[in-house]
Amino acid sequence: MERITSAKNSVVRAMRELKDRRAREATGRILVEGEVMIREALACGLQPFDLLAEDRFEVLAGEMAAAGARAYLVPRSLLESVCETRTPQGVCASFSMPEPLQPGAELPDAVVALDGVQDPGNVGTIWRTADAAGFGALLLGEGSADPLSPKVLRAAMGSGFRVPFGRAEPLGEALSALSARGYSIIASALDGDDFYCRPDPGRRIALIVGNEARGIRPEILARADYRLKLPMRGGAESLNAAVAAGIFMYDLINARR
């Protein structure tokens, strides 16, 4: 393994730039931090390019090299300059981007659509929960956080490599297309009907999760077949977007089974 000590090294600079969306789109690469996430990316078939690691990751470096990557030993100071986390896990790598869903692509029976969910942690957590609950795709409407940012991918914990995503812009048109294909459109709305007293929406469902502050836009709500809310039996007025989405997804899938 070659050793890099300079922050001006071209490999280090290129990987540092992957924290920026424009660099990711220009190169077709993403930044993956931590051994667990790197192994998830390898297992999901993403092409590895460069690995920056402390010397305790010799086994992983060998596996990455066998998959076609170039592996470099670096000091912690360089990892801190490349990674977004304040305390890096000792290794990061660049990989090819997961391919987004193409317009008109066949979708699974259960999908979740985001209407301006801006917090990367929420987007990643919803993605991870969708994977766990059994939702098969994530659709991102206008104003949603970039699904390929390091923060979103860390929160998704590998689900971003398994559950396909697509950019649904404009979201209203994408929902209309889903409705025409037999999907029931379900919106999380504070003024909606009790979620637990809902009628059966059928097998094909699209759940809309709204912006953390304003919720779902009125023009998007107008596309929904069902507007549902979780009952607030205590003193809280609402739930975090990712928490509410998780409850919706699990219960919808369980009821369908």
Side-chain angles (χ1 to χ4, degrees):
M1 290 174 63
E2 181 181 341
R3 185 176 295 274
I4 297 176
T5 58
S6 172
K8 296 181 180 179
N9 179 277
S10 60
V11 174
V12 173
R13 289 203 313 268
M15 290 184 65
R16 186 186 301 121
E17 289 173 356
L18 293 179
K19 291 185 285 189
D20 183 77
R21 180 173 182 170
R22 289 170 296 182
R24 292 193 293 273
E25 292 177 346
T27 61
R29 300 184 182 187
I30 57 172
L31 180 66
V32 179
E33 301 179 26
E35 181 176 7
V36 172
M37 289 285 290
I38 289 172
R39 291 190 181 281
E40 288 276 9
L42 278 175
C44 291
L46 299 186
Q47 175 62 46
F49 292 103
D50 295 300
L51 177 85
L52 304 182
E54 295 178 329
D55 55 13
R56 59 193 171 95
F57 290 98
E58 291 182 359
V59 173
L60 178 61
E63 294 174 8
M64 289 284 282
R70 297 168 295 185
Y72 303 92
L73 287 173
V74 297
R76 173 155 287 269
S77 59
L78 286 191
L79 284 171
E80 291 174 345
S81 74
V82 172
C83 297
E84 283 200 332
T85 49
R86 292 185 179 180
T87 54
Q89 299 176 37
V91 63
C92 66
S94 58
F95 281 85
S96 59
M97 282 185 176
E99 287 292 329
L101 292 165
Q102 297 303 310
E106 186 63 30
L107 294 175
D109 287 342
V111 301
V112 58
L114 307 185
D115 182 29
V117 178
Q118 297 177 325
D119 183 85
N122 282 337
V123 173
T125 300
I126 292 169
W127 208 349
R128 183 181 182 184
T129 308
D131 186 15
F135 274 63
L138 178 76
L139 305 179
L140 297 108
E142 303 92 315
S144 297
D146 180 9
L148 299 180
S149 72
K151 288 182 179 178
V152 170
L153 292 177
R154 282 200 309 276
M157 281 299 294
S159 294
F161 308 140
R162 285 188 297 273
V163 176
F165 75 94
R167 302 189 188 276
E169 300 176 6
L171 181 57
E173 292 183 9
L175 293 173
S176 292
L178 286 173
S179 184
R181 293 160 69 178
Y183 285 79
S184 291
I185 311 300
I186 301 169
S188 172
L190 292 177
D191 61 349
D193 298 322
D194 189 326
F195 175 68
Y196 294 107
C197 298
R198 67 188 183 275
D200 181 6
R203 185 160 187 83
R204 307 194 89 184
I205 53 177
L207 172 66
I208 313 170
V209 181
N211 175 268
E212 292 87 348
R214 59 167 168 76
I216 299 171
R217 290 172 291 161
E219 62 269 29
I220 300 301
L221 275 175
R223 312 267 182 166
D225 300 300
Y226 304 92
R227 295 171 57 167
L228 304 174
K229 67 177 180 181
L230 293 172
M232 299 290 119
R233 300 189 176 97
E237 294 183 355
S238 63
L239 287 172
N240 166 272
V243 172
I247 296 170
F248 269 74
M249 285 189 282
Y250 263 96
D251 200 76
L252 286 165
I253 291 294
N254 286 342
R256 192 174 67 177
R257 289 179 180 275

